[in-house]
Amino acid sequence: PKSGTNKVKTVLLYELLKLIGKGKSQNDLSKISRLAAYMFSSTESNIYNDAQPGIRLTKYHQKEIEKLNSLLKDLDIPIEIKKDIEY
């Protein structure tokens, strides 16, 4: 998808929040899901249902991950999204 999948966007949001000390361990998942739903034009329940068991990006997301990592590198943001790990 041109704009990215909600799973990859949610992982990016997790990592950005973690970078500023407001990650999943410092916040309630439902609050993060509410913010993600607002930002991604999705529903809070869809985001939460994906996020609650943990998000694992796969080979399906590889091209999207590569594009996102390139964008982050261009902005000098010290985040690298990876597949096959649980977020």
Side-chain angles (χ1 to χ4, degrees):
K2 186 174 183 178
S3 67
T5 62
N6 281 342
K7 284 186 177 182
V8 173
K9 289 189 226 177
T10 301
V11 167
L12 173 60
L13 180 59
Y14 286 171
E15 294 300 302
L16 289 169
L17 288 170
K18 186 170 29 172
L19 198 62
I20 61 170
K22 302 293 180 182
K24 286 186 349 180
S25 59
Q26 291 85 17
N27 273 301
D28 183 85
L29 185 57
S30 61
K31 292 177 183 178
I32 295 173
S33 298
R34 193 172 307 129
L35 175 61
Y38 173 79
M39 293 173 67
F40 311 150
S41 299
S42 186
T43 67
E44 183 179 338
S45 63
N46 284 348
I47 300 287
Y48 184 86
N49 289 340
D50 280 344
Q52 201 277 328
I55 296 175
R56 183 175 296 271
L57 303 176
T58 65
K59 192 168 103 176
Y60 172 82
H61 302 99
Q62 186 62 39
K63 286 185 181 180
E64 186 179 352
I65 292 168
E66 289 170 3
K67 180 176 180 166
L68 177 56
N69 283 336
S70 176
L71 293 169
L72 293 168
K73 184 177 180 181
D74 287 347
L75 291 167
D76 199 27
I77 297 174
I79 293 173
E80 182 181 4
I81 305 301
K82 299 176 182 174
K83 67 180 185 73
D84 298 324
I85 66 168
E86 190 171 297
Y87 288 93

